[in-house]
Amino acid sequence: MIFLQCRCLRGLRAGKLKMFREFLSLFAVLWLCWSPSTGEAQAEYMKYKDPKQPVATRVKDLLSRMTLDEKIGQMVQIDRSVANEEVMRTNFIGSVLSGGGSEPLPKATAEDWVNMINGFQKGALASRLGIPMMYGIDAVHGHNNVYNATIFPHNVGLGATRDPNLAYKIGVATALEVRATGIPYVFAPCIAVCRDPRWGRCYESYSEDPNIVKEMTAIIPGLQGDIPNNSRKGSPFIGGKSKVAACAKHFVGDGGTTKGINENNTEIDWHGLLSIHMPAYSDSILKGVATVMISYSSWNGLKMHANRNLVTGFLKDTLKFKGFVISDWQGIDKITTPPDSNYSFSVEASVGAGIDMVMVPYKYSEFIQDLTHAVKNNIIPMERIDDAVQRILLVKFTMGLFENPLADLSLVSELGKQEHRDLAREAVRKSLVLLKNGKNGSAPLLPLPKKASKVLVAGTHADNLGYQCGGWTIKWQGFIGNEDTRGTTILGALKMEVDPSTEVVYRETPEGDFVKSSNFEYAIVVVGEPTYAESAGDSITLTMVDPGPDIIKNVCENVKCVVIVVSGRPIVIEPYVSSIDALVAAWLPGTEGQGVTDVLFGEYGFSGKLPRTWFKSVDQLPMNVGDPHYDPLYPYGFGLTTESVKDLVARSTSAAAGSSVSIFAMLKTLIIILFLTG
């Protein structure tokens, strides 16, 4: 080619030479543009795919390449039951979730979960831009949807521990178990401030005290990782493949509804909203929480899902939250009364208010169609869509989802591992609140001796793992019995704890005559609430499961008894207290029943404090510490303490050694040691 060029040049005049050079330059440009290998190399480099680029640059680059259809698809979260690879690819779906109890198959393994989620992810990655989806799940007291996971005490129990560091550790363990199943996003923690125990979600609240709730947001860095010191205020942070994106919920005031009715109206002035219900959100944002979920409830008559002043004006603009805002399950449908009576309006109102991702969860085609129509007709400005999508992409890039979109099996051994169960056991024993120990001036009943001739265990909740775990466990409303997941009931723990020579007799509902004639040294009665979640748990009576009161009467009138109340909140107990020797609030302890027996038998002392007021009568409700009419059965913060047997023995021995005591006193100490330790 060069040889021909030289021959041609000899015959050209100077003017034509210049033209020919320009032609060659143009030819070279055209050649480079046409060349398949060079063109492909240029097309392959996209800033959003380059992990070396700053996250902001990647978000901006990807957003600039997206069509309206692709942007709206990112704003959609659908349930796994309607998801498949084709749906993910053709609708550009941004997120998939498991609702309460939604699983790949009964008793699914970690591998089953990973394989299902990767299937959905492959569909998302096959779309034009290959934007990965993020899978979300409720993990509100451990990985509660999943068989064999460690189930920690519900939040009300953790509030009784007054231990933010424990909450942090639970966050770390929960993140590992969630990631073991291939999931990078959890709808937790619930940072509601429950002001009325009649609310069916009260056990999801750490306390009636906003300061306790604020302190327990320590679970967020446990889930997400510790936010770097130089982080920009409000920016989300997720620290790698062993961490998950968290979700502070439900914004805002969900625990303050009238009469505790779920999804009802919270009537409170601006100062009250800020001082009671908002502090935990401010703190969560400072900790780098990735997402915030909006509440079903209303504030002074306006549905939170349509409250632009609070969602955009306060959460995003004032608190500087830069992650994304997500709706609750079918939350936008409930903007209208009756729900879903004007869906197009609900779409416009919710997205206009500042909700970025909508938990549809089923009718995604209708949502996409209505939102597209609203944007094309200038009902919702394009800037609002871009704001939503850039927030979603920011979280996805921050969590490393573009670099590691597919889950692997490297963490499957984390699910239900012994270290996590040991941590849950610690949480149980620290959560127990001792309300009474000794009747009518008699000696304390607790700690119980492990060695006894015969003891009775009774009650509806003594040998029922489902009751022990409560709602949001395996199924949305929880389960009843011992078959749905792995754990240790209180009865099972007790049998492991007592001396081998001790005869343990279990009767769920014993008759009084049987108790009276059986020569039991003492009895343990375990009663409480049924399982429930959300509105199904709303209660105006707050009574225990029948025949709980009769069991207390039949047992405690005939033998020394300790009553353990397994419940998500204070329930009616005042009529029975006088007949009880020792009374323990165990809340909803989860799968590790040995945490209860650890304290009953004095391996550890009682240390829990009431996270909420225990009323005398439901007629007093709502009643919270500081109220003018405050007259509780047991006040907020109450909790008797005991020493462990080990500490008691050490103190007794030390006292004996430091004084001139008789042989009789030392023998007495020795007898105490043998009696308590069995």
Side-chain angles (χ1 to χ4, degrees):
M1 184 175 176
I2 296 173
F3 174 75
L4 291 173
Q5 179 182 327
C6 293
R7 291 193 59 180
C8 291
L9 289 175
R10 294 192 189 103
L12 292 175
R13 296 179 179 178
K16 292 183 178 180
L17 179 61
K18 182 178 180 183
M19 289 177 61
F20 190 75
R21 283 174 176 164
E22 291 174 352
F23 169 77
L24 283 177
S25 298
L26 178 61
F27 179 80
V29 171
L30 291 172
W31 174 268
L32 287 171
C33 291
W34 174 84
S35 170
S37 60
T38 307
E40 286 173 3
Q42 289 181 336
E44 282 173 5
Y45 181 73
M46 299 180 182
K47 286 183 179 179
Y48 80 89
K49 291 187 175 182
D50 185 355
K52 295 179 181 178
Q53 292 287 343
V55 168
T57 301
R58 300 176 76 183
V59 170
K60 183 178 179 181
D61 179 66
L62 179 51
L63 194 65
S64 71
R65 300 174 187 274
M66 296 173 72
T67 65
L68 177 60
D69 288 345
E70 288 167 330
K71 290 176 180 178
I72 288 176
Q74 284 300 298
M75 298 173 67
V76 179
Q77 186 179 65
I78 62 175
D79 186 72
R80 56 157 291 280
S81 61
V82 296
N84 58 51
E85 290 193 35
E86 182 67 11
V87 166
M88 300 301 296
R89 183 182 64 81
T90 57
N91 293 278
F92 317 109
I93 300 296
S95 184
V96 182
L97 85 153
S98 279
S102 183
E103 57 192 352
L105 68 159
K107 297 187 177 181
T109 64
E111 291 88 343
D112 293 326
W113 282 91
V114 167
N115 292 335
M116 176 191 71
I117 292 164
N118 280 348
F120 300 147
Q121 189 68 279
K122 288 172 184 176
L125 297 175
S127 62
R128 183 179 74 93
L129 294 170
I131 303 172
M133 67 90 192
M134 60 188 296
Y135 199 96
I137 197 165
D138 287 283
V140 296
H141 62 141
H143 200 6
N144 52 261
N145 263 27
V146 177
Y147 177 76
N148 200 36
T150 306
I151 305 300
F152 293 91
H154 267 297
N155 285 356
V156 65
L158 298 184
T161 71
R162 301 292 202 276
D163 190 344
N165 187 53
L166 178 65
Y168 176 89
K169 292 177 181 177
I170 289 171
V172 171
T174 300
L176 285 167
E177 296 209 12
V178 171
R179 278 287 194 170
T181 56
I183 299 172
Y185 178 29
V186 297
F187 308 123
C190 177
I191 52 173
V193 182
C194 176
R195 303 291 284 178
D196 193 325
R198 292 175 292 186
W199 186 38
R201 306 193 77 154
C202 203
Y203 63 73
E204 296 184 56
S205 169
Y206 293 107
S207 178
E208 70 186 47
D209 181 354
N211 293 316
I212 296 296
V213 178
K214 181 180 176 181
E215 288 177 7
M216 300 306 276
T217 61
I219 196 172
I220 291 171
L223 291 165
Q224 296 193 155
D226 295 306
I227 189 167
N229 292 329
N230 60 350
S231 289
R232 185 181 174 196
K233 181 184 177 182
S235 294
F237 176 77
I238 303 98
K241 293 174 68 176
S242 65
K243 298 297 181 180
V244 293
C247 179
K249 65 183 189 182
H250 310 83
F251 188 85
V252 58
D254 52 338
T257 58
T258 301
K259 297 182 179 179
I261 298 171
N262 192 40
E263 304 180 16
N264 201 13
N265 186 33
T266 297
E267 298 178 62
I268 193 170
D269 62 19
W270 178 239
H271 173 74
L273 190 74
L274 287 183
S275 61
I276 295 174
H277 299 286
M278 199 69 77
Y281 286 97
S282 302
D283 208 58
S284 298
I285 290 166
L286 291 175
K287 288 181 168 73
V289 72
T291 72
V292 171
M293 184 182 290
I294 302 302
S295 175
Y296 287 123
S297 59
S298 304
W299 178 50
N300 294 335
L302 177 60
K303 287 284 188 181
M304 279 304 309
H305 275 79
N307 195 322
R308 178 175 169 80
N309 287 338
L310 280 176
V311 177
T312 295
F314 195 78
L315 179 63
K316 291 182 175 181
D317 295 343
T318 301
L319 295 182
K320 306 299 181 186
F321 174 63
K322 295 176 177 62
F324 70 78
V325 175
I326 187 168
S327 82
D328 208 332
W329 178 278
Q330 294 179 328
I332 72 168
D333 304 44
K334 299 182 181 184
I335 290 174
T336 58
T337 304
D340 198 23
S341 57
N342 188 342
Y343 193 65
S344 59
F345 170 77
S346 294
V347 171
E348 295 161 12
S350 59
V351 175
I355 294 175
D356 305 311
M357 182 180 284
V358 175
M359 195 182 290
V360 176
Y362 302 122
K363 53 184 181 183
Y364 57 89
S365 295
E366 185 178 352
F367 174 82
I368 290 169
Q369 178 182 325
D370 285 353
L371 184 52
T372 302
H373 178 269
V375 175
K376 288 184 175 179
N377 288 274
N378 298 316
I379 299 169
I380 294 178
M382 196 65 202
E383 300 83 62
R384 171 75 274 270
I385 301 300
D386 286 346
D387 171 63
V389 177
Q390 69 89 15
R391 287 169 177 272
I392 294 165
L393 295 178
L394 174 63
V395 172
K396 288 186 176 184
F397 279 118
T398 300
M399 68 199 304
L401 204 52
F402 281 78
E403 283 65 63
N404 298 290
L406 295 173
D408 57 41
L409 303 179
S410 61
L411 294 175
V412 295
S413 62
E414 297 290 337
L415 188 69
K417 70 187 294 186
Q418 190 57 49
E419 290 88 339
H420 298 164
R421 294 186 180 277
D422 292 342
L423 178 64
R425 183 174 174 175
E426 176 189 350
V428 172
R429 60 179 179 253
K430 288 183 175 180
S431 71
L432 302 178
V433 179
L434 181 58
L435 299 175
K436 182 179 181 181
N437 192 16
K439 184 164 60 177
N440 302 325
S442 63
L445 178 61
L446 300 176
L448 297 170
K450 293 182 181 181
K451 191 169 186 177
S453 59
K454 186 164 61 170
V455 300
L456 172 66
V457 181
T460 49
H461 291 54
D463 190 33
N464 196 307
L465 196 60
Y467 280 159
Q468 203 169 289
C469 292
W472 290 110
T473 311
I474 305 301
K475 301 177 178 68
W476 176 39
Q477 294 292 327
F479 66 94
I480 298 174
N482 298 327
E483 300 303 318
D484 288 64
T485 196
R486 184 166 70 91
T488 305
T489 67
I490 294 171
L491 174 64
L494 188 143
K495 287 180 176 179
M496 289 187 280
E497 192 75 19
V498 296
D499 188 86
S501 65
T502 299
E503 181 184 355
V504 177
V505 177
Y506 171 59
R507 293 286 189 279
E508 183 174 323
T509 56
E511 294 295 329
D513 290 341
F514 166 77
V515 178
K516 189 174 183 179
S517 63
S518 296
N519 297 317
F520 296 113
E521 287 197 28
Y522 60 81
I524 298 172
V525 177
V526 193
V527 291
E529 286 194 292
T531 63
Y532 56 83
E534 301 192 51
S535 298
D538 287 356
S539 173
I540 60 172
T541 59
L542 295 177
T543 52
M544 66 180 67
V545 172
D546 282 330
D550 289 337
I551 297 171
I552 293 174
K553 181 178 184 295
N554 291 343
V555 174
C556 295
E557 288 184 358
N558 293 292
V559 66
K560 287 184 178 180
C561 72
V562 51
V563 173
I564 300 169
V565 179
V566 175
S567 67
R569 54 199 166 184
I571 58 175
V572 174
I573 195 71
E574 193 272 341
Y576 326 118
V577 171
S578 61
S579 66
I580 295 169
D581 293 275
L583 178 62
V584 177
W587 314 112
L588 297 170
T591 52
E592 307 312 303
Q594 285 176 280
V596 176
T597 54
D598 281 344
V599 185
L600 284 184
F601 292 104
E603 293 293 330
Y604 296 83
F606 280 91
S607 60
K609 303 297 180 184
L610 283 181
R612 56 182 320 98
T613 300
W614 204 296
F615 58 85
K616 292 177 181 175
S617 164
V618 291
D619 296 334
Q620 297 174 296
L621 301 175
M623 179 175 63
N624 295 281
V625 62
D627 289 349
H629 65 291
Y630 198 68
D631 181 28
L633 178 64
Y634 298 108
Y636 164 83
F638 180 80
L640 302 174
T641 58
T642 61
E643 291 183 283
S644 69
V645 171
K646 181 180 177 182
D647 290 341
L648 182 63
V649 167
R651 187 165 60 83
S652 298
T653 304
S654 175
S659 62
S660 300
V661 293
S662 65
I663 297 295
F664 174 77
M666 288 189 284
L667 286 173
K668 183 179 177 183
T669 300
L670 181 60
I671 291 168
I672 291 172
I673 295 170
L674 293 172
F675 177 73
L676 290 174
T677 60

